[in-house]
PDB file of all heavy atoms in Angstrom:
ATOM      1  N   GLU A 498       0.831  -1.150   0.039  1.00  0.00           N
ATOM      2  CA  GLU A 498       0.000  -0.001  -0.003  1.00  0.00           C
ATOM      3  C   GLU A 498       0.863   1.243  -0.023  1.00  0.00           C
ATOM      4  O   GLU A 498       0.535   2.241  -0.731  1.00  0.00           O
ATOM      5  CB  GLU A 498      -0.945  -0.007   1.247  1.00  0.00           C
ATOM      6  CG  GLU A 498      -2.076   0.998   1.153  1.00  0.00           C
ATOM      7  CD  GLU A 498      -3.148   0.613   0.183  1.00  0.00           C
ATOM      8  OE1 GLU A 498      -3.120  -0.625  -0.261  1.00  0.00           O
ATOM      9  OE2 GLU A 498      -3.964   1.457  -0.173  1.00  0.00           O
ATOM     10  N   SER A 499       1.953   1.297   0.739  1.00  0.00           N
ATOM     11  CA  SER A 499       2.834   2.380   0.843  1.00  0.00           C
ATOM     12  C   SER A 499       4.207   1.985   1.319  1.00  0.00           C
ATOM     13  O   SER A 499       4.299   0.896   1.979  1.00  0.00           O
ATOM     14  CB  SER A 499       2.352   3.486   1.703  1.00  0.00           C
ATOM     15  OG  SER A 499       2.245   3.020   3.088  1.00  0.00           O
ATOM     16  N   PHE A 500       5.312   2.726   0.950  1.00  0.00           N
ATOM     17  CA  PHE A 500       6.627   2.330   1.375  1.00  0.00           C
ATOM     18  C   PHE A 500       7.457   3.612   1.355  1.00  0.00           C
ATOM     19  O   PHE A 500       7.054   4.624   0.743  1.00  0.00           O
ATOM     20  CB  PHE A 500       7.286   1.263   0.531  1.00  0.00           C
ATOM     21  CG  PHE A 500       7.341   1.667  -0.939  1.00  0.00           C
ATOM     22  CD1 PHE A 500       8.439   2.276  -1.442  1.00  0.00           C
ATOM     23  CD2 PHE A 500       6.278   1.387  -1.780  1.00  0.00           C
ATOM     24  CE1 PHE A 500       8.590   2.584  -2.777  1.00  0.00           C
ATOM     25  CE2 PHE A 500       6.394   1.686  -3.170  1.00  0.00           C
ATOM     26  CZ  PHE A 500       7.461   2.347  -3.672  1.00  0.00           C
ATOM     27  N   GLU A 501       8.583   3.577   2.000  1.00  0.00           N
ATOM     28  CA  GLU A 501       9.467   4.680   2.113  1.00  0.00           C
ATOM     29  C   GLU A 501      10.818   4.425   1.478  1.00  0.00           C
ATOM     30  O   GLU A 501      11.224   3.216   1.580  1.00  0.00           O
ATOM     31  CB  GLU A 501       9.595   5.178   3.535  1.00  0.00           C
ATOM     32  CG  GLU A 501       8.395   5.748   4.223  1.00  0.00           C
ATOM     33  CD  GLU A 501       8.582   6.273   5.618  1.00  0.00           C
ATOM     34  OE1 GLU A 501       9.639   5.926   6.174  1.00  0.00           O
ATOM     35  OE2 GLU A 501       7.734   6.895   6.172  1.00  0.00           O
ATOM     36  N   GLU A 502      11.432   5.388   1.033  1.00  0.00           N
ATOM     37  CA  GLU A 502      12.788   5.209   0.471  1.00  0.00           C
ATOM     38  C   GLU A 502      13.676   6.403   0.866  1.00  0.00           C
ATOM     39  O   GLU A 502      13.133   7.450   1.159  1.00  0.00           O
ATOM     40  CB  GLU A 502      12.732   5.170  -1.083  1.00  0.00           C
ATOM     41  CG  GLU A 502      12.009   4.069  -1.661  1.00  0.00           C
ATOM     42  CD  GLU A 502      11.854   4.138  -3.218  1.00  0.00           C
ATOM     43  OE1 GLU A 502      11.248   5.042  -3.642  1.00  0.00           O
ATOM     44  OE2 GLU A 502      12.322   3.279  -3.878  1.00  0.00           O
ATOM     45  N   LYS A 503      14.949   6.103   0.978  1.00  0.00           N
ATOM     46  CA  LYS A 503      15.921   7.156   1.340  1.00  0.00           C
ATOM     47  C   LYS A 503      16.760   7.650   0.167  1.00  0.00           C
ATOM     48  O   LYS A 503      17.200   6.832  -0.570  1.00  0.00           O
ATOM     49  CB  LYS A 503      16.897   6.546   2.455  1.00  0.00           C
ATOM     50  CG  LYS A 503      17.858   7.587   3.045  1.00  0.00           C
ATOM     51  CD  LYS A 503      18.693   6.916   4.043  1.00  0.00           C
ATOM     52  CE  LYS A 503      19.702   7.983   4.660  1.00  0.00           C
ATOM     53  NZ  LYS A 503      20.549   7.317   5.771  1.00  0.00           N
ATOM     54  N   VAL A 504      16.930   8.891   0.109  1.00  0.00           N
ATOM     55  CA  VAL A 504      17.754   9.496  -0.984  1.00  0.00           C
ATOM     56  C   VAL A 504      19.151   9.343  -0.643  1.00  0.00           C
ATOM     57  O   VAL A 504      19.629   9.872   0.416  1.00  0.00           O
ATOM     58  CB  VAL A 504      17.390  10.991  -1.071  1.00  0.00           C
ATOM     59  CG1 VAL A 504      18.165  11.602  -2.209  1.00  0.00           C
ATOM     60  CG2 VAL A 504      15.895  11.138  -1.397  1.00  0.00           C
ATOM     61  N   MET A 505      19.938   8.666  -1.537  1.00  0.00           N
ATOM     62  CA  MET A 505      21.295   8.427  -1.318  1.00  0.00           C
ATOM     63  C   MET A 505      22.183   9.571  -1.803  1.00  0.00           C
ATOM     64  O   MET A 505      23.132   9.968  -1.202  1.00  0.00           O
ATOM     65  CB  MET A 505      21.723   7.112  -1.982  1.00  0.00           C
ATOM     66  CG  MET A 505      20.895   5.894  -1.561  1.00  0.00           C
ATOM     67  SD  MET A 505      20.993   5.547   0.207  1.00  0.00           S
ATOM     68  CE  MET A 505      22.710   5.117   0.381  1.00  0.00           C
ATOM     69  N   GLN A 506      21.825  10.020  -3.059  1.00  0.00           N
ATOM     70  CA  GLN A 506      22.617  11.135  -3.662  1.00  0.00           C
ATOM     71  C   GLN A 506      21.767  11.825  -4.654  1.00  0.00           C
ATOM     72  O   GLN A 506      20.849  11.215  -5.257  1.00  0.00           O
ATOM     73  CB  GLN A 506      23.972  10.625  -4.239  1.00  0.00           C
ATOM     74  CG  GLN A 506      23.779   9.717  -5.409  1.00  0.00           C
ATOM     75  CD  GLN A 506      25.072   9.381  -6.172  1.00  0.00           C
ATOM     76  OE1 GLN A 506      25.721  10.381  -6.400  1.00  0.00           O
ATOM     77  NE2 GLN A 506      25.263   8.174  -6.566  1.00  0.00           N
ATOM     78  N   VAL A 507      22.064  13.059  -4.950  1.00  0.00           N
ATOM     79  CA  VAL A 507      21.459  13.922  -5.966  1.00  0.00           C
ATOM     80  C   VAL A 507      22.530  14.346  -6.894  1.00  0.00           C
ATOM     81  O   VAL A 507      23.624  14.969  -6.414  1.00  0.00           O
ATOM     82  CB  VAL A 507      20.659  15.064  -5.466  1.00  0.00           C
ATOM     83  CG1 VAL A 507      20.043  15.877  -6.624  1.00  0.00           C
ATOM     84  CG2 VAL A 507      19.549  14.522  -4.482  1.00  0.00           C
ATOM     85  N   ARG A 508      22.478  14.121  -8.186  1.00  0.00           N
ATOM     86  CA  ARG A 508      23.597  14.472  -9.086  1.00  0.00           C
ATOM     87  C   ARG A 508      23.036  14.943 -10.473  1.00  0.00           C
ATOM     88  O   ARG A 508      21.861  14.860 -10.726  1.00  0.00           O
ATOM     89  CB  ARG A 508      24.491  13.181  -9.355  1.00  0.00           C
ATOM     90  CG  ARG A 508      23.717  11.952  -9.894  1.00  0.00           C
ATOM     91  CD  ARG A 508      24.749  11.101 -10.630  1.00  0.00           C
ATOM     92  NE  ARG A 508      25.346  11.731 -11.837  1.00  0.00           N
ATOM     93  CZ  ARG A 508      26.454  11.555 -12.370  1.00  0.00           C
ATOM     94  NH1 ARG A 508      27.291  10.722 -11.822  1.00  0.00           N
ATOM     95  NH2 ARG A 508      26.804  12.218 -13.457  1.00  0.00           N
ATOM     96  N   TYR A 509      24.067  15.461 -11.236  1.00  0.00           N
ATOM     97  CA  TYR A 509      23.731  15.868 -12.559  1.00  0.00           C
ATOM     98  C   TYR A 509      23.559  14.738 -13.555  1.00  0.00           C
ATOM     99  O   TYR A 509      24.273  13.750 -13.403  1.00  0.00           O
ATOM    100  CB  TYR A 509      24.903  16.826 -13.038  1.00  0.00           C
ATOM    101  CG  TYR A 509      24.876  17.113 -14.556  1.00  0.00           C
ATOM    102  CD1 TYR A 509      24.053  18.030 -15.052  1.00  0.00           C
ATOM    103  CD2 TYR A 509      25.857  16.472 -15.284  1.00  0.00           C
ATOM    104  CE1 TYR A 509      24.116  18.368 -16.479  1.00  0.00           C
ATOM    105  CE2 TYR A 509      25.882  16.734 -16.719  1.00  0.00           C
ATOM    106  CZ  TYR A 509      25.017  17.662 -17.252  1.00  0.00           C
ATOM    107  OH  TYR A 509      25.131  17.897 -18.615  1.00  0.00           O
ATOM    108  N   ASP A 510      22.679  14.864 -14.454  1.00  0.00           N
ATOM    109  CA  ASP A 510      22.438  13.890 -15.495  1.00  0.00           C
ATOM    110  C   ASP A 510      22.644  14.487 -16.869  1.00  0.00           C
ATOM    111  O   ASP A 510      21.954  15.439 -17.193  1.00  0.00           O
ATOM    112  CB  ASP A 510      21.151  13.235 -15.422  1.00  0.00           C
ATOM    113  CG  ASP A 510      20.916  12.066 -16.351  1.00  0.00           C
ATOM    114  OD1 ASP A 510      21.868  11.629 -16.914  1.00  0.00           O
ATOM    115  OD2 ASP A 510      19.692  11.568 -16.486  1.00  0.00           O
ATOM    116  N   PRO A 511      23.634  14.008 -17.702  1.00  0.00           N
ATOM    117  CA  PRO A 511      23.866  14.632 -18.991  1.00  0.00           C
ATOM    118  C   PRO A 511      22.765  14.376 -19.975  1.00  0.00           C
ATOM    119  O   PRO A 511      22.696  15.094 -21.069  1.00  0.00           O
ATOM    120  CB  PRO A 511      25.138  13.934 -19.506  1.00  0.00           C
ATOM    121  CG  PRO A 511      25.216  12.668 -18.785  1.00  0.00           C
ATOM    122  CD  PRO A 511      24.528  12.881 -17.390  1.00  0.00           C
ATOM    123  N   CYS A 512      21.884  13.484 -19.736  1.00  0.00           N
ATOM    124  CA  CYS A 512      20.807  13.116 -20.719  1.00  0.00           C
ATOM    125  C   CYS A 512      19.467  13.789 -20.534  1.00  0.00           C
ATOM    126  O   CYS A 512      18.536  13.539 -21.273  1.00  0.00           O
ATOM    127  CB  CYS A 512      20.585  11.603 -20.669  1.00  0.00           C
ATOM    128  SG  CYS A 512      22.053  10.584 -21.143  1.00  0.00           S
ATOM    129  N   ARG A 513      19.461  14.638 -19.563  1.00  0.00           N
ATOM    130  CA  ARG A 513      18.155  15.464 -19.303  1.00  0.00           C
ATOM    131  C   ARG A 513      18.500  16.765 -18.606  1.00  0.00           C
ATOM    132  O   ARG A 513      19.609  16.869 -18.037  1.00  0.00           O
ATOM    133  CB  ARG A 513      17.127  14.615 -18.470  1.00  0.00           C
ATOM    134  CG  ARG A 513      17.563  14.270 -17.047  1.00  0.00           C
ATOM    135  CD  ARG A 513      16.773  13.231 -16.500  1.00  0.00           C
ATOM    136  NE  ARG A 513      17.181  11.850 -17.127  1.00  0.00           N
ATOM    137  CZ  ARG A 513      16.403  11.261 -17.951  1.00  0.00           C
ATOM    138  NH1 ARG A 513      15.225  11.666 -18.330  1.00  0.00           N
ATOM    139  NH2 ARG A 513      16.842  10.024 -18.428  1.00  0.00           N
ATOM    140  N   SER A 514      17.546  17.611 -18.587  1.00  0.00           N
ATOM    141  CA  SER A 514      17.905  18.871 -17.967  1.00  0.00           C
ATOM    142  C   SER A 514      17.671  18.960 -16.529  1.00  0.00           C
ATOM    143  O   SER A 514      18.294  19.765 -15.781  1.00  0.00           O
ATOM    144  CB  SER A 514      16.831  19.963 -18.604  1.00  0.00           C
ATOM    145  OG  SER A 514      15.461  19.581 -18.378  1.00  0.00           O
ATOM    146  N   ALA A 515      16.957  18.074 -15.928  1.00  0.00           N
ATOM    147  CA  ALA A 515      16.675  17.969 -14.476  1.00  0.00           C
ATOM    148  C   ALA A 515      17.754  17.094 -13.885  1.00  0.00           C
ATOM    149  O   ALA A 515      18.388  16.287 -14.499  1.00  0.00           O
ATOM    150  CB  ALA A 515      15.363  17.407 -14.105  1.00  0.00           C
ATOM    151  N   ASP A 516      18.014  17.305 -12.541  1.00  0.00           N
ATOM    152  CA  ASP A 516      18.841  16.392 -11.767  1.00  0.00           C
ATOM    153  C   ASP A 516      18.188  15.133 -11.413  1.00  0.00           C
ATOM    154  O   ASP A 516      16.947  15.041 -11.394  1.00  0.00           O
ATOM    155  CB  ASP A 516      19.342  17.125 -10.435  1.00  0.00           C
ATOM    156  CG  ASP A 516      20.195  18.337 -10.795  1.00  0.00           C
ATOM    157  OD1 ASP A 516      20.783  18.494 -11.853  1.00  0.00           O
ATOM    158  OD2 ASP A 516      20.210  19.281  -9.906  1.00  0.00           O
ATOM    159  N   ILE A 517      18.946  14.160 -11.105  1.00  0.00           N
ATOM    160  CA  ILE A 517      18.388  12.891 -10.765  1.00  0.00           C
ATOM    161  C   ILE A 517      18.884  12.458  -9.341  1.00  0.00           C
ATOM    162  O   ILE A 517      19.911  12.961  -8.899  1.00  0.00           O
ATOM    163  CB  ILE A 517      18.794  11.774 -11.801  1.00  0.00           C
ATOM    164  CG1 ILE A 517      20.300  11.587 -11.846  1.00  0.00           C
ATOM    165  CG2 ILE A 517      18.153  12.032 -13.135  1.00  0.00           C
ATOM    166  CD1 ILE A 517      20.722  10.424 -12.795  1.00  0.00           C
ATOM    167  N   ALA A 518      18.095  11.585  -8.694  1.00  0.00           N
ATOM    168  CA  ALA A 518      18.356  11.101  -7.332  1.00  0.00           C
ATOM    169  C   ALA A 518      18.443   9.644  -7.285  1.00  0.00           C
ATOM    170  O   ALA A 518      17.572   8.983  -7.887  1.00  0.00           O
ATOM    171  CB  ALA A 518      17.342  11.724  -6.307  1.00  0.00           C
ATOM    172  N   LEU A 519      19.425   9.106  -6.558  1.00  0.00           N
ATOM    173  CA  LEU A 519      19.503   7.666  -6.293  1.00  0.00           C
ATOM    174  C   LEU A 519      18.832   7.441  -4.974  1.00  0.00           C
ATOM    175  O   LEU A 519      19.295   7.929  -3.939  1.00  0.00           O
ATOM    176  CB  LEU A 519      20.947   7.243  -6.275  1.00  0.00           C
ATOM    177  CG  LEU A 519      21.219   5.686  -6.022  1.00  0.00           C
ATOM    178  CD1 LEU A 519      20.589   4.942  -7.156  1.00  0.00           C
ATOM    179  CD2 LEU A 519      22.748   5.450  -5.874  1.00  0.00           C
ATOM    180  N   VAL A 520      17.694   6.564  -5.005  1.00  0.00           N
ATOM    181  CA  VAL A 520      17.007   6.298  -3.758  1.00  0.00           C
ATOM    182  C   VAL A 520      17.089   4.793  -3.513  1.00  0.00           C
ATOM    183  O   VAL A 520      17.276   4.014  -4.460  1.00  0.00           O
ATOM    184  CB  VAL A 520      15.529   6.702  -3.905  1.00  0.00           C
ATOM    185  CG1 VAL A 520      15.395   8.187  -4.048  1.00  0.00           C
ATOM    186  CG2 VAL A 520      14.848   5.943  -5.038  1.00  0.00           C
ATOM    187  N   ALA A 521      17.035   4.462  -2.168  1.00  0.00           N
ATOM    188  CA  ALA A 521      17.239   3.005  -1.809  1.00  0.00           C
ATOM    189  C   ALA A 521      16.122   2.726  -0.809  1.00  0.00           C
ATOM    190  O   ALA A 521      15.688   3.508   0.031  1.00  0.00           O
ATOM    191  CB  ALA A 521      18.567   2.820  -1.226  1.00  0.00           C
ATOM    192  N   GLY A 522      15.528   1.511  -0.944  1.00  0.00           N
ATOM    193  CA  GLY A 522      14.522   1.037  -0.135  1.00  0.00           C
ATOM    194  C   GLY A 522      13.875  -0.232  -0.714  1.00  0.00           C
ATOM    195  O   GLY A 522      13.907  -0.494  -1.889  1.00  0.00           O
ATOM    196  N   VAL A 523      13.307  -1.033   0.155  1.00  0.00           N
ATOM    197  CA  VAL A 523      12.623  -2.266  -0.164  1.00  0.00           C
ATOM    198  C   VAL A 523      13.550  -3.139  -0.901  1.00  0.00           C
ATOM    199  O   VAL A 523      13.187  -3.720  -2.014  1.00  0.00           O
ATOM    200  CB  VAL A 523      11.322  -1.921  -1.016  1.00  0.00           C
ATOM    201  CG1 VAL A 523      10.404  -3.140  -0.983  1.00  0.00           C
ATOM    202  CG2 VAL A 523      10.553  -0.716  -0.490  1.00  0.00           C
TER     203      VAL A 523
END
């Protein structure tokens, strides 16, 4: 029904204009 994840890092992505985040959980 629901779950939580933790953000490991936020970094630049050369393939898109927005930044991306590595999340871990489950």
Side-chain angles (χ1 to χ4, degrees):
E498 194 72 18
S499 63
F500 59 92
E501 293 183 349
E502 293 174 303
K503 183 177 180 180
V504 179
M505 307 299 294
Q506 63 167 320
V507 178
R508 58 154 294 151
Y509 164 79
D510 187 9
C512 299
R513 66 196 74 253
S514 58
D516 295 335
I517 59 175
L519 180 65
V520 297
V523 200

